[in-house]
Amino acid sequence: MTLAQALREAAATFESRGIEDPRLVAELLLRHALSISRVRLYQELKRELAPREEAGFGRLIERCLSGEPLAYITGHREFYGLDFYVDQSVLVPRPETELLVERALALAGERNMAAIADIGTGSGAVAVSLALNLPQVRIYATDVSAPALKVARFNCRRHGVEDRVCLLKGDLLSPLPEPVDLIVANLPYVREEEVSSKGLAGFEPALALSGGGDGLDKIRALCRGLSKELRPGGGLLLEVGMGQSQAVAKLLLSLFPEADIEITPDLAGIERVVGLMPLSAGAKRLAGLLS
Ligand code: GLN
């Protein structure tokens, strides 16, 4: 079988099984099986696959058909224009989480920041994106999971920011060595009972997804410990799930009645990032709307 035939067959199988972008997925898997670039794939379309190569490609196709995320199979995921290594010890970075990075960069552009913390960093995608875009800022990135921190360390090295991102193991804010100017967090916020259906076909770590009964356990715990870990005038940006923004905004207002709360929708119109801005930096005060 030639590479071209193998691609056609795989794409047809994916299409019949309802996998999105079947041709693209087939290409990525074949390139991964053969460890070749896209250009080489196209140069070699007419060559015959060796039996070992064909078997290898077949195994990748099976993994994909079983529902395993492409990012885990290939070990690659793009986030904020950067390539990240991911495996099953971390959540696959989602496009909507780029909003967290965007909001953080916007705030960092408005005021001087010496240190930012990314709590529950997972693959390190948010921390690395911030580090690359904010060369003057110290970044702390924490996670409870040692295997996740290994992935984050790998990604820090890959992007040359290992000296500027300080990786710390521990629960939520507990490992932070000093108060920071901004805390960003994409904590687990999926309701416990939804975790198995939401974590991409059960492949993603429940630890990175489950936020307890109403999904807000981790977010509540972080918010309660916040005042000690923020510098005067410091801010917080939290990613939340669909329908959670108002509850989180209320929680923050109950803890920080004087603060400005900002809610930013993602591209799908879902209120995705809730921000707490003790200084009103153009932030919209929702206190009145919420009461
Ligand atoms: N956005 C992810 C999902 O819906 C959840 C991420 C999280 O819990 N932080 O699958």
Side-chain angles (χ1 to χ4, degrees):
M1 181 181 333
T2 65
L3 270 64
Q5 285 165 335
L7 273 181
R8 259 199 309 279
E9 261 185 34
T13 308
F14 291 149
E15 178 144 35
S16 71
R17 297 280 292 269
I19 290 177
E20 260 178 63
D21 301 322
R23 169 77 194 193
L24 179 67
V25 172
E27 269 191 33
L28 288 170
L29 290 182
L30 185 56
R31 281 179 46 197
H32 187 62
L34 306 179
S35 304
I36 57 174
S37 69
R38 183 145 197 261
V39 172
R40 242 186 90 194
L41 177 73
Y42 276 84
Q43 286 167 344
E44 297 187 6
L45 278 179
K46 292 203 178 92
R47 90 162 162 85
E48 290 287 318
L49 273 174
R52 234 166 29 124
E53 293 175 329
E54 201 174 318
F57 185 39
R59 280 192 295 273
L60 299 186
I61 292 173
E62 284 312 312
R63 285 171 67 183
C64 190
L65 291 173
S66 77
E68 184 170 347
L70 192 62
Y72 288 158
I73 302 175
T74 63
H76 291 276
R77 175 71 172 198
E78 198 204 293
F79 179 85
Y80 216 72
L82 302 165
D83 183 46
F84 287 93
Y85 167 74
V86 290
D87 64 26
Q88 294 203 19
S89 42
V90 298
L91 207 68
V92 177
R94 308 284 203 268
E96 59 268 26
T97 303
E98 293 182 357
L99 185 60
L100 200 59
V101 176
E102 272 166 28
R103 292 304 306 132
L105 293 179
L107 282 179
E110 285 172 14
R111 57 185 82 175
N112 257 344
M113 291 194 185
I116 298 181
D118 172 24
I119 306 299
T121 195
S123 64
V126 169
V128 169
S129 304
L130 291 177
L132 283 174
N133 285 283
L134 299 170
Q136 316 301 338
V137 179
R138 265 191 319 284
I139 311 279
Y140 296 107
T142 77
D143 210 290
V144 267
S145 155
L149 282 174
K150 247 175 110 174
V151 172
R153 182 159 293 118
F154 182 88
N155 283 318
C156 285
R157 268 197 224 115
R158 166 181 281 186
H159 293 289
V161 292
E162 70 271 38
D163 296 341
R164 297 198 13 253
V165 177
C166 175
L167 294 166
L168 300 162
K169 184 171 179 320
D171 194 35
L172 298 170
L173 304 162
S174 59
L176 289 183
E178 59 166 340
V180 295
D181 299 293
L182 178 68
I183 288 174
V184 300
N186 175 18
L187 293 173
Y189 55 66
V190 178
R191 285 190 293 126
E192 183 77 62
E193 57 182 36
E194 275 180 48
V195 167
S196 50
S197 56
K198 282 221 73 182
L200 295 168
F203 284 93
E204 293 189 299
L207 187 65
L209 287 164
S210 177
D214 66 353
L216 297 178
D217 284 2
K218 298 285 171 198
I219 287 180
R220 263 190 297 268
L222 179 134
C223 293
R224 292 201 176 117
L226 207 56
S227 51
K228 291 193 299 290
E229 306 302 338
L230 278 182
R231 291 199 188 168
L236 166 75
L237 292 167
L238 289 174
E239 177 174 321
V240 300
M242 189 158 54
Q244 293 178 333
S245 61
Q246 297 296 323
V248 173
K250 270 189 188 152
L251 166 70
L252 285 171
L253 277 173
S254 71
L255 294 166
F256 305 92
E258 296 307 313
D260 281 334
I261 305 291
E262 170 207 77
I263 297 178
T264 314
D266 64 18
L267 291 173
I270 297 167
E271 295 187 343
R272 184 61 72 187
V273 173
V274 179
L276 168 87
M277 252 108 323
L279 288 184
S280 41
K284 203 166 128 202
R285 190 178 176 88
L286 290 183
L289 295 176
L290 290 164
S291 56

